[in-house]
Amino acid sequence: MLRASRLLAWSGLLCVSVTLNGSAQPASRASGSGAAPPSLAKALAAVNAPAIRAHMTFLADDLLEGRATGTRGYDLAARYVAAQLAMLGLQPAGDDGSYYQAVPLLESTLDEGTLTIHPKSGAARPLQVRDDFLMGGDLLRTSARVEAPLVFAGYGVSAPELQHDDYAGRDVRGKVVVVLSNAPGRFPSEQRAHHASRRRKAELAAANGAVGVIVVRTREEEQVTPWTRMIANVETPAVAWLTRAGAPADVPEGLQGAAVLSAAGAAKLFDGSPIALDAVLAEAEKGAPKGFDLPAAVTLTSRSTHRRVTSANVVARLAGADAALRDTAVVYSAHLDHIGIGTAVKGDTINNGAFDNALGVAALLETARALAGLPERPARSIVFTFVTAEEKGLVGSGYFAANLPAAVGRPIANVNMDMPLLLFPIATVVAFGAEHSTLGDVAARAATQAGLTLIPDPMPEQTLFVRSDQYSFVRHGVPAVFLVPGFTSSDPKADGPARFHEFLTTHYHQPSDDLSLPLDLGAVEQFTRANIAMGYLIATSVDAPRWRPDSFFGKTFGTSR
Ligand SMILES: [Zn+2]
């Protein structure tokens, strides 16, 4: 699972104060039960939870050193997965008849960054790195310098569909825009996350002619993600995949500097502002502050070291039985990378990523085994994708969706598996993205087949739909769904919400996300069955999944493929 503060690197919306709602409410479209078709029933019965635990045990071993993209530990994990896929007799669907799709990556590490304020009157004022501001590596240049006037542009969001445009009537050409983190609180959660993302804000600032972006964190965010936690997040290397022309993908060219400010840094930047910072931040809590020119200019400089790395997605295919539909594919995805070796916590430096996402990979391998063993193959093809660099910002899946290997065919749906917290017996499942396409109906049926109840998103503020690899498919117009277990336990003694909360606050992206955590095999079995049923039902359906006509994501991306 991608850290929210990585996705929003400038806005750091990490969740600690999650309200955990443990109650199960049936989803509005949760209909369609009945017995499984005999073929599916056979695949569901085949699920072997101890086999899933065995895959997880290998992948989360210390010897794999946390499977960071570009490391030997990741490559070993990729070899393991490819060997399993070969044992299942699945068709290689990567480059040149192999199971591997090589992803060319650029990694940029910041060596030095400076930010200096030039007030209209008075001396230049250099800000202190870490105390006042943070910068990431520049993916376009090893050395950058930009000096320009400052303009405050609210949240830096253009959302005409929600009657909000911070750039309307504001000339930011040749200027450095100062924007608040996140997006207006009145936006629906998934749309809010989309508009709040770093990528979206950078695109917009560049499209409006800005030459740099400085992010000021809202009070909400200061509370949710303490500045100290931002430091490690922002200072890990920036990563992008490279186009055939050798350019980093999804990095707008016009921006020559970017930084995020601490509360202290923001106070210095707003010194002498016609509207005080306090008033701006207070307004942000109620609605959306209007933009204005700040009476200062700024100089941003950076020096970065670039390194080219190749890391592989692992891809296999179960060919469809129907000659007319075989070219269409249900694409499963699970990220194989994690965050590798880091700072010692209680003497442990290895981030094993047992739940994030050795478990998702393990469950997908078992899903592949169950579907490969069907007595009759489904009409459509099924593709199993194990992607790299998810933790770097959905980079491996982004490359995959933009550079589909020929053997994959045309993706009609994505089913993603990431960090299922199968810590206790489960009763419910959440399908992120369900309301955006007809996959919501499929998810309700799949949940029933697994003996689970589909419930609506109990924590919309976590914006999980845009925080894992399904979002790369959505951005390419492919309807997607991402199943995660709900908080409710079928065991009255297990406090599901407390166990979730404990994982997110104590073990998430820490060395303690390891094999010592409890794994409930019954939950593993049910969760895997729900995912098998998803793929089976889509692959055997005559109708391809469709976006709902009113879906924001359908309207925004639905025509792009
Ligand atoms: Zn993660």
Side-chain angles (χ1 to χ4, degrees):
M1 177 71 65
L2 179 62
R3 243 188 208 288
S5 51
R6 177 128 201 117
L7 180 72
L8 313 176
W10 298 335
S11 60
L13 182 86
L14 191 77
C15 50
V16 251
S17 54
V18 204
T19 11
L20 298 172
N21 173 358
S23 69
Q25 305 155 356
S28 56
R29 281 194 294 274
S31 61
S33 53
S39 186
L40 172 59
K42 201 161 175 208
L44 298 180
V47 172
N48 177 354
I52 295 172
R53 183 173 57 192
H55 292 310
M56 179 186 182
T57 303
F58 177 83
L59 294 167
D61 194 282
D62 274 357
L63 285 171
L64 273 72
E65 299 181 338
R67 308 184 303 281
T69 297
T71 68
R72 175 181 148 91
Y74 177 86
D75 292 346
L76 288 168
R79 296 294 188 282
Y80 177 82
V81 167
Q84 298 295 326
L85 298 170
M87 282 161 61
L88 297 174
L90 291 167
Q91 176 194 342
D95 303 331
D96 310 320
S98 79
Y99 288 107
Y100 304 105
Q101 180 190 36
V103 182
L105 299 168
L106 181 69
E107 187 184 274
S108 175
T109 308
L110 184 77
D111 298 317
E112 191 188 13
T114 70
L115 192 165
T116 307
I117 301 167
H118 309 282
K120 278 253 158 70
S121 54
R125 190 173 190 188
L127 298 196
Q128 298 303 310
V129 69
R130 291 195 171 186
D131 291 340
D132 294 325
F133 75 95
L134 291 169
M135 250 180 218
D138 187 321
L139 283 156
L140 291 166
R141 318 156 186 90
T142 51
S143 171
R145 183 181 188 284
V146 63
E147 181 169 345
L150 288 165
V151 54
F152 175 65
Y155 282 105
V157 163
S158 289
E161 77 284 2
L162 293 165
Q163 293 77 47
H164 182 95
D165 189 356
D166 287 313
Y167 285 99
R170 192 148 313 285
D171 184 4
V172 304
R173 280 172 298 174
K175 297 179 185 169
V176 170
V177 283
V178 178
V179 298
L180 293 170
S181 57
N182 218 317
R186 70 173 175 90
F187 285 16
S189 69
E190 288 161 353
Q191 251 160 294
R192 189 180 186 207
H194 167 79
H195 288 294
S197 76
R198 169 177 63 163
R199 172 166 27 217
R200 187 77 199 115
K201 288 200 183 188
E203 273 170 11
L204 262 178
N208 282 283
V211 293
V213 180
I214 293 178
V215 174
V216 168
R217 291 167 14 112
T218 59
R219 286 174 182 158
E220 179 192 14
E221 197 150 306
E222 286 284 341
Q223 264 184 357
V224 172
T225 310
W227 182 248
T228 46
R229 193 171 334 178
M230 284 291 290
I231 295 178
N233 293 341
V234 176
E235 290 185 349
T236 51
V239 172
W241 59 265
L242 292 165
T243 64
R244 272 207 194 105
D250 298 321
V251 184
E253 276 189 25
L255 300 181
Q256 296 162 64
V260 55
L261 299 181
S262 67
K268 290 172 188 169
L269 194 82
F270 275 76
D271 202 7
S273 161
I275 301 172
L277 177 62
D278 276 352
V280 168
L281 294 177
E283 178 66 27
E285 281 165 32
K286 293 177 295 185
K290 295 253 178 302
F292 53 86
D293 287 339
L294 284 159
V298 69
T299 306
L300 294 160
T301 71
S302 67
R303 278 192 305 108
S304 307
T305 298
H306 286 182
R307 186 171 78 104
R308 287 186 180 226
V309 187
T310 301
S311 185
N313 292 328
V314 186
V315 196
R317 174 179 183 252
L318 179 67
D322 185 300
L325 295 175
R326 187 178 297 150
D327 180 46
T328 65
V330 182
V331 179
Y332 281 103
S333 56
H335 77 86
L336 183 56
D337 68 307
H338 191 53
I339 57 174
I341 294 177
T343 324
V345 179
K346 293 183 188 155
D348 187 1
T349 56
I350 300 173
N351 294 287
N352 305 85
F355 281 79
D356 185 11
N357 183 34
L359 179 54
V361 168
L364 182 51
L365 284 172
E366 184 64 2
T367 297
R369 191 181 71 82
L371 291 169
L374 283 170
E376 283 171 62
R377 276 180 295 138
R380 298 179 191 277
S381 296
I382 303 179
V383 170
F384 304 94
T385 314
F386 301 83
V387 295
T388 187
E390 188 270 353
E391 304 284 13
K392 304 287 190 185
L394 318 182
V395 180
S397 58
Y399 181 81
F400 179 85
N403 301 274
L404 290 171
V408 166
R410 184 168 65 85
I412 53 154
N414 168 242
V415 180
N416 187 44
M417 296 160 84
D418 187 4
M419 205 174 89
L421 298 183
L422 303 166
L423 298 156
F424 48 80
I426 57 170
T428 60
V429 66
V430 180
F432 291 102
E435 70 273 32
H436 291 285
S437 73
T438 54
L439 290 177
D441 303 341
V442 182
R445 290 167 63 201
T448 306
Q449 297 297 345
L452 297 168
T453 304
L454 185 72
I455 59 163
D457 184 352
M459 41 179 193
E461 69 283 3
Q462 290 266 12
T463 64
L464 289 176
F465 189 54
V466 303
R467 279 177 58 191
S468 187
D469 292 304
Q470 69 281 349
Y471 199 50
S472 293
F473 291 89
V474 169
R475 290 179 64 235
H476 284 84
V478 180
V481 76
F482 168 35
L483 299 187
V484 302
F487 304 141
T488 314
S489 181
S490 55
D491 174 1
K493 290 195 293 291
D495 186 349
R499 306 280 279 280
F500 257 80
H501 190 68
E502 194 219 346
F503 182 91
L504 292 175
T505 53
T506 312
H507 306 302
Y508 172 69
H509 280 206
Q510 297 293 324
S512 61
D513 174 6
D514 66 15
L515 296 166
S516 67
L517 294 174
L519 179 70
D520 188 272
L521 291 184
V524 167
E525 190 176 283
Q526 282 182 291
F527 175 78
T528 307
R529 284 179 176 164
N531 279 286
I532 290 169
M534 277 307 302
Y536 179 91
L537 292 170
I538 304 164
T540 51
S541 167
V542 177
D543 298 320
R546 289 183 317 278
W547 292 101
R548 298 270 176 218
D550 57 350
S551 161
F552 164 73
F553 294 114
K555 284 193 274 195
T556 306
F557 303 115
T559 52
S560 65
R561 194 176 283 284

